Amino acid sequence: MAEYFIETALLTHGLVSLGEEEILSLWPWKDKKMVWLENGKICHGTMEEYFPLRRRAKEIKRINREILPKAMAEKENGCLTASGTMAVADLYGVPVAVTAGMGGISSYIHGETLCPDLPALVESKTILIATSPKDVVDIQSSIDWLLKHQVKILGARHDYCSGFMFAGKKIPISGILKKEAVVKPHTLILQDIKAEERIKDRSILQQALEAGLKAQERGEYFHPAANEVIDRMSGGVAGRLQLKSLIENGKLAGEIRVEVY
């Protein structure tokens, strides 16, 4: 059993400009790190084993922690968000889940008045490694909510969170991760994208927001539509940034010491 699981929602709906060959050329693992749902069954496999689901991305649901039991009972096919991955990790006794951009608090994204990623950190035993809450949510409110609910937030590089693919204000968190320390449940580790690698044109973010809102009006998911605009307008930079960040977060997951439960 893997020591950590990697979410599949980003890989399914968020990396529209990246093909299988490029992903495989960058993906460092040959073992079973990915988790998803197939006909309601939890699947745990390699990137190659996961790809058939990705090829059906348009018909695949995004499964979070709250809807996982229903999705399993109704034999759904789905990729797992950060909170969905945490729920599966809890079931298997895997201590760490890995994502890139996580959900947060938003007044306009459907289902994210309080994204399930946040209460999952309060209620789950699974540690989450992420890059940052996504740029399209209220990062300040998201961080504040977690700290208020006694979630420890540790930065892999800094004692603040300053955004995901775009640079924002520096929001203080609990402290910096000490590699020798044992990380306990109810901890979020943030490994930010380096400032020089981030997307500089913030007008792209506004257009992504608008695209996400229009997608919602059509009954579609917000995040894939917003992500597609960022990826297209950045010339594919966004997709490669996110994949690189996801991989770096996975590598960090393999390095940290965790409390065994």
Side-chain angles (χ1 to χ4, degrees):
M1 185 64 65
E3 295 178 353
Y4 53 96
F5 284 152
I6 297 177
E7 64 106 327
T8 44
L10 169 64
L11 291 158
T12 304
H13 294 134
L15 305 180
V16 293
S17 64
L18 301 187
E20 292 179 12
E21 187 175 335
E22 183 171 2
I23 292 171
L24 276 179
S25 72
L26 298 168
W27 197 251
W29 301 285
K30 299 297 183 185
D31 54 341
K32 298 176 182 288
K33 297 266 187 258
M34 326 290 295
V35 282
W36 66 94
L37 277 193
E38 216 159 317
N39 297 318
K41 179 183 177 182
I42 296 170
C43 294
H44 171 218
T46 65
M47 180 64 79
E48 290 92 337
E49 290 169 329
Y50 150 75
F51 273 150
L53 187 88
R54 187 178 192 259
R55 292 172 197 144
R56 297 182 285 139
K58 290 186 178 179
E59 62 189 72
I60 296 303
K61 291 189 176 181
R62 297 167 70 83
I63 309 297
N64 63 38
R65 176 174 172 263
E66 293 178 350
I67 65 174
L68 178 63
K70 185 172 184 285
M72 294 175 68
E74 296 183 355
K75 302 186 184 306
E76 299 273 15
N77 296 311
C79 53
L80 297 179
T81 66
S83 71
T85 307
M86 292 173 74
V88 170
D90 277 343
L91 290 174
Y92 282 83
V94 171
V96 183
V98 175
T99 188
M102 61 179 285
I105 291 173
S106 172
S107 59
Y108 47 82
I109 301 173
H110 294 170
E112 290 200 38
T113 303
L114 179 66
C115 175
D117 292 356
L118 303 189
L121 279 157
V122 177
E123 298 163 12
S124 168
K125 291 182 179 179
T126 303
I127 295 157
L128 180 64
I129 298 183
T131 310
S132 166
K134 295 171 184 174
D135 297 300
V136 291
V137 305
D138 185 335
I139 298 178
Q140 178 77 66
S141 295
S142 304
I143 296 292
D144 289 348
W145 188 95
L146 288 168
L147 293 174
K148 180 181 177 183
H149 288 80
Q150 286 75 56
V151 174
K152 182 176 285 188
I153 308 175
L154 299 175
R157 285 190 271 263
H158 306 289
D159 61 354
Y160 57 80
C161 174
S162 62
F164 181 30
M165 289 186 288
F166 298 83
K169 69 176 182 178
K170 297 177 180 178
I171 301 166
I173 55 178
S174 307
I176 296 179
L177 174 69
K178 296 178 181 177
K179 294 291 178 70
E180 69 279 6
V182 174
V183 182
K184 298 182 179 182
H186 317 299
T187 299
L188 168 64
I189 298 172
L190 298 178
Q191 182 166 226
D192 63 339
I193 294 171
K194 293 177 181 177
E196 62 269 21
E197 296 179 351
R198 297 194 200 185
I199 299 168
K200 304 299 187 291
D201 184 358
R202 289 189 67 87
S203 69
I204 294 174
L205 182 57
Q206 182 58 41
Q207 293 184 60
L209 287 168
E210 292 169 3
L213 292 172
K214 288 178 181 176
Q216 283 188 162
E217 291 173 3
R218 298 191 299 268
E220 300 169 5
Y221 290 120
F222 178 97
H223 287 298
N227 217 341
E228 183 175 357
V229 168
I230 297 172
D231 199 41
R232 176 171 48 79
M233 294 190 68
S234 67
V237 168
R240 291 176 180 87
L241 264 184
Q242 290 180 88
L243 179 60
K244 179 183 177 183
S245 186
L246 183 69
I247 290 169
E248 287 184 355
N249 292 345
K251 289 178 178 178
L252 179 60
E255 295 170 359
I256 64 171
R257 298 174 63 202
V258 298
E259 183 176 85
V260 177
Y261 59 87

